[in-house]
């Protein structure tokens, strides 16, 4: 963080991340009470502000805010109307939980879903080869369909 | 009469004169393609065939040092904790990308994609080797192996009676590798991580932009010091193998990861020794050459992409124009010939203040252009420029495809896996690296090793399994 705006109205700390605010001039809202502050930062230092600008429209929201004097209450990135989303985590790709897939981007089968059939060997020993036709016949069928449709590529 | 023992040049097959030799030579390109024969590595011999190595390793750093051996043909037995496996199996970007199965007892748990490339071509067994009952199979493996790599805290294996001084007694040719954080000395019990190596060795302090430009000390996004240090260990192992050929004796290799990372800092430490000057970060620019850096362009090459990595970040170009004619041409292109007049010699433009001005002017010129436009304009003018590629572009790169650096592997156990690591480590004409499989489930080769190699009866293996020994 290069600096903070500590809103005295509601005792909330709004964090100014260096990636956005290192050299920045404009208005930013408090994540809790919505009070608008004007700041001008040069090379990470607060050159002017924060000055309250009640009633004005903010240019940007903080990325993260919390209330350190009131325990762990916080506003995580992307809380609607309060903090802006962390733009480098594309949520349509990253889900945060195991993402089962049966085919790679070139539509060939990969063993990326659970559960899988048990080893069947002693002491958890597995055979060398995944016999997809025998062990996962439904995926094999789907694969054959993909081949017929010409969806299976080399790259 | 000619002497039948005399071999005449004209009777031999092949060229008879220097001119003929030149005529018969295949063009270099064709020669290389035939020599390295990318895609057919598997029919060639493997350099380390006959070497057997034990891997008591975790995460990336030490596993990778052994993976290098396995890719070059060594038979590697990776020993993991029963039911759990290498902790690296349980890490995956954002907890999403797994391959299954992990182990019979954990049907819904998978192996995270973070483990890829670090334990290639190895056999996977389980053994809780600090238990007394495990000592016998462990020592028997030592007797029939060439070496071992471990990453426990210093002295742990010694406490368990399986350090170099114990193993040397049962196998004097044994090569023993300890790889970890600090090694013996003041911080003997400090563990290690890649980020610790980057920080402790002073590497992070000279990576990234200076605070004056909004930068901070930066660690590499990937665990590059893990991969780097692992490779350094492999170099030491190969030297130890050569030493053993000459003397018949083993070696102990003690490898501190934080120590190894100092090698990446280049002249930083000698600079301090000479002048007392602490080297600063210089980000995407260069302290020895100017122009020789990465600039930001105004427009993305993928303005409509959903992924911000493509939409917002495909805007960087690497530019190199440090010699006088190139710099002059660059100044003409950006319509600032006065810059060349101002900084005519390289000595002048490599100064810090000059660099700030020069890069700012280049970025101003690029502000209304896309990355590909900038590359095209500069390349057409004979200046070295290349886009800063992301992973998608590496995958699409014809250069990597033709040389086999990036390729698809039909992993016998896990199916379709895109891989790069093994085949990006340089080409060897006679004994190339190769990848048969990436990894296998926890304990997948228990029978192969305990029963087929060591000869334990199946009943013993079942008993050990029930007792959680394996």
């Amino acid at each position: 963080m290069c600096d903070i705006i500590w809103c005295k109205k509601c005792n909330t700390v709004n964090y100014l991340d260096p990636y956005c605010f290192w050299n920045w001039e404009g208005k930013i809202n408090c994540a809790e009470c919505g009070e608008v502050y004007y700041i001008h930062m040069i090379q990470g230092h607060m050159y002017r502000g924060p000055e309250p600008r009640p009633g004005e429209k903010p240019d940007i929201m903080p990325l993260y805010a919390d209330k350190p004097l009131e325990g762990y209450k916080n506003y995580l990135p992307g809380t609607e109307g309060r903090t802006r989303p962390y733009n480098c985590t594309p949520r349509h790709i990253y889900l945060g939980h195991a993402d089962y897939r049966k085919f790679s981007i070139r539509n060939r089968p990969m063993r990326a879903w659970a559960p899988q059939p048990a080893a069947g060997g002693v002491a958890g020993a597995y055979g060398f080869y995944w016999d997809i036709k025998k062990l996962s016949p439904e995926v094999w069928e789907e694969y054959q369909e993909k081949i017929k449709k010409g969806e299976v590529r080399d790259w | 009469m000619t002497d039948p023992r005399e071999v005449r040049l004209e009777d031999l097959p092949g060229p008879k004169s220097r001119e003929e030799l030149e005529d018969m030579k295949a063009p270099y390109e064709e020669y290389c393609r035939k020599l390295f024969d990318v895609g057919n590595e598997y029919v060639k011999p493997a350099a380390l065939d006959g070497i057997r190595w034990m891997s008591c390793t975790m995460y990336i750093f030490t596993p990778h040092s052994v993976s290098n051996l396995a890719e070059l043909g060594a038979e590697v037995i990776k020993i993991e904790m029963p039911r759990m496996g290498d902790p690296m199996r349980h890490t995956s970007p954002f907890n999403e990308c797994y391959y299954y199965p992990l182990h019979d007892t954990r049907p819904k748990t998978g192996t995270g994609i973070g483990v890829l490339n670090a334990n290639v071509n190895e056999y996977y067994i389980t053994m809780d080797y600090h238990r007394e009952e495990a000592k016998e199979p462990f020592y028997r493996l030592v007797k029939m192996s060439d070496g071992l790599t471990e990453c426990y805290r210093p002295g742990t294996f010694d406490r368990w009676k399986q350090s170099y001084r114990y193993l040397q007694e049962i196998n004097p040719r044994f090569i023993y590798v300890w790889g970890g954080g600090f090694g013996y000395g003041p911080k003997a019990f400090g563990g290690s991580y890649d980020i610790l190596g980057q920080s402790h060795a002073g590497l992070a302090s000279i990576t990234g932009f200076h605070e004056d430009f909004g930068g901070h000390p930066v660690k590499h996004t990937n665990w590059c010091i893990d991969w780097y240090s692992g490779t350094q260990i492999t170099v030491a192992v190969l030297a130890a193998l050569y030493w053993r050929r000459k003397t018949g004796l083993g070696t102990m290799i003690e490898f501190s990861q934080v120590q190894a990372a100092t090698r990446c800092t280049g002249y930083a430490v000698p600079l301090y020794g000479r002048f007392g000057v602490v080297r600063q970060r210089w980000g995407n620019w260069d302290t020895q050459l100017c122009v020789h850096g990465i600039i930001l362009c105004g427009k993305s090459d993928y303005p409509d992409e959903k992924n911000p990595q493509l939409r917002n970040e495909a805007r960087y170009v690497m530019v190199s124009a440090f010699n006088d004619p190139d710099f002059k041409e660059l100044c003409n292109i950006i319509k600032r010939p006065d810059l060349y007049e101002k900084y005519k010699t390289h000595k002048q433009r490599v100064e810090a203040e000059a660099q700030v001005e020069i890069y700012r002017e280049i970025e101003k010129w690029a502000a209304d252009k896309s990355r590909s436009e900038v590359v095209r304009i500069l390349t057409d003018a004979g200046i070295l420029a290349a886009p800063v590629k992301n992973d998608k572009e590496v995958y699409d790169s014809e250069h990597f495809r033709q040389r086999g650096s990036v390729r698809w592997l039909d992993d016998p156990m896990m199916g379709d896996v895109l891989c790069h690591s093994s085949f990006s480590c340089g080409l060897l004409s006679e004994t190339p690296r190769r990848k048969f499989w990436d990894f296998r489930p926890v304990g997948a080769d228990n029978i192969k090793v305990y029963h087929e190699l060591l000869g334990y009866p199946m009943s013993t293996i079942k008993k050990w399994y029930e007792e959680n020994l394996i």
Side-chain angles (χ1 to χ4, degrees), chain B residues 345-394:
Chain B
T345 66
H346 184 257
K347 209 174 170 185
Q348 289 170 323
R349 56 185 173 266
V350 85
E351 292 290 333
E353 294 79 5
Q355 290 205 29
V356 171
E357 187 181 354
I358 291 167
Y359 282 107
R360 188 179 59 219
E361 293 308 316
I362 301 171
E363 289 194 346
K364 257 191 205 168
W365 166 75
D368 61 344
K369 295 175 186 63
S370 71
R371 183 183 63 166
S372 49
E373 273 176 276
V374 168
V375 171
R376 186 177 46 75
I377 294 168
L378 296 180
T379 312
D380 285 352
I383 292 170
L384 174 60
V388 174
K389 284 185 177 175
N390 55 40
D391 296 334
K392 175 190 185 310
E393 290 161 329
V394 167

Side-chain angles (χ1 to χ4, degrees), chain B residues 26-74:
Chain B
Y28 184 68
E29 177 76 17
E30 202 183 302
Y31 168 74
C32 286
R33 282 180 194 275
K34 204 172 160 195
L35 186 68
F36 297 112
D37 202 10
V38 163
N40 286 323
E41 292 87 354
Y42 298 88
V43 299
K44 293 183 176 177
L48 299 184
D49 204 2
I51 298 290
R52 182 180 291 135
W53 209 266
M54 294 162 66
S55 177
C56 307
T57 60
M58 287 178 276
Y59 295 105
I60 299 288
F61 157 44
T62 41
H64 178 235
S65 72
V66 189
S67 184
N68 276 325
L69 302 176
E71 285 165 29
L72 290 166

Side-chain angles (χ1 to χ4, degrees), chain B residues 79-82 125-129 134 137-138 141 450 469-470:
Chain B
I79 307 175
E80 295 178 281
M81 278 297 283
I125 68 166
T126 47
M127 186 195 289
D128 189 354
Y129 38 52
F138 185 84
L141 271 176
Y450 289 120
L469 186 71
I470 63 171

